[in-house]
Amino acid sequence: DAKTTQPTSMDCAEGRAANLPCNHSTISGNEYVYWYRQIHSQGPQYIIHGLKNNETNEMASLIITEDRKSSTLILPHATLRDTAVYYCIVRVGIGTGNQFYFGTGTSLTVIP
Amino acid sequence: GAGVSQSPSNKVTEKGKDVELRCDPISGHTALYWYRQRLGQGLEFLIYFQGNSAPDKSGLPSDRFSAERTGESVSTLTIQRTQQEDSAVYLCASSLVLEQFFGPGTRLTVL
């Protein structure tokens, strides 16, 4: 599975959009981009995933560059409850070897 | 419905003792994963079960670590002769297709 690179930490003002970048320059054509977050003392929570196209759900939007070497997770209106560590992961979607390899993620702090 | 559950939630043990950690996945989920998370660090993959296939044990850090799963049900992660560096939160996740659902974890402290 491809490795990902994320900034160690970021701050965002409450109510503003939080844009979390991720580089995955060695991603393969059959690897998806996943985002999870982990609020302190809890297990990771799925946010969103995508392959090529931009995706949006009730939690966030995922913007994947055309060459798929990087992506951005967007929380459109950050709240204090969005303070968490955000993990960007790439992996093959279906089949054998479906492990997730989590890095250290980005620690997002939403500031009142 | 019920999510992934893990037990115990906390375990304190002495160095050299064996411990067993339990994971109850979401019913019907064919895939089950174990991860380790040391304090202040990201998740470290340990082992992956998919249906009746042979498990992927590539993440197990040493032969003191082993895991079993019977069919598509409960899994146990066993750590033999625990060491202080085994202290961590052990997370279990299950999935049906793509999305993984995580349990609350077991916090293991080895004194």
Side-chain angles (χ1 to χ4, degrees):
Chain A
D1 283 332
K3 291 184 179 179
T4 62
T5 305
Q6 299 177 251
T8 303
S9 63
M10 291 181 64
D11 293 338
C12 177
E14 186 178 17
R16 303 297 293 269
N19 297 287
L20 292 90
C22 180
N23 288 321
H24 30 81
S25 59
T26 59
I27 191 170
S28 300
N30 62 347
E31 288 182 315
Y32 288 74
V33 180
Y34 285 77
W35 283 85
Y36 279 74
R37 74 179 181 185
Q38 188 172 25
I39 296 170
H40 182 62
S41 299
Q42 298 181 22
Q45 175 192 22
Y46 167 84
I47 301 173
I48 198 167
H49 76 279
L51 183 62
K52 295 180 182 178
N53 300 321
N54 298 336
E55 302 288 343
T56 296
N57 62 21
E58 65 277 4
M59 289 182 69
S61 294
L62 174 61
I63 307 299
I64 302 174
T65 57
E66 191 170 344
D67 63 7
R68 301 208 326 122
K69 293 185 177 182
S70 65
S71 61
T72 302
L73 178 74
I74 301 173
L75 308 178
H77 305 287
T79 70
L80 299 179
R81 288 175 294 180
D82 292 324
T83 293
V85 177
Y86 288 77
Y87 296 97
C88 168
I89 303 144
V90 294
R91 58 154 243 189
V92 175
I94 297 174
T96 60
N98 277 341
Q99 318 90 310
F100 279 89
Y101 290 94
F102 288 75
T104 54
T106 296
S107 179
L108 175 69
T109 302
V110 180
I111 302 169
Chain B
V4 177
S5 61
Q6 293 184 244
S7 61
S9 56
N10 280 284
K11 176 71 176 179
V12 180
T13 191
E14 294 180 347
K15 178 182 174 181
K17 300 282 190 182
D18 297 351
V19 295
E20 268 194 8
L21 312 180
R22 176 187 170 107
C23 173
D24 285 85
I26 293 173
S27 178
H29 280 193
T30 56
L32 187 147
Y33 307 75
W34 282 98
Y35 296 88
R36 176 171 69 179
Q37 187 172 32
R38 290 193 168 114
L39 185 64
Q41 299 187 19
L43 274 71
E44 176 186 0
F45 166 76
L46 296 178
I47 189 169
Y48 158 67
F49 296 90
Q50 174 63 57
N52 293 319
S53 302
D56 180 342
K57 304 179 182 179
S58 60
L60 294 178
S62 77
D63 58 8
R64 296 186 296 105
F65 288 72
S66 62
E68 292 184 352
R69 186 185 188 196
T70 305
E72 295 180 358
S73 61
V74 171
S75 175
T76 55
L77 176 69
T78 302
I79 308 173
Q80 296 178 310
R81 306 181 302 281
T82 53
Q83 303 294 315
Q84 288 183 332
E85 63 261 28
D86 299 334
S87 295
V89 175
Y90 289 82
L91 288 157
C92 172
S94 71
S95 74
L96 184 59
V97 181
L98 295 180
E99 179 184 345
Q100 289 190 352
F101 296 84
F102 283 80
T106 294
R107 181 175 299 278
L108 175 66
T109 302
V110 182
L111 301 177

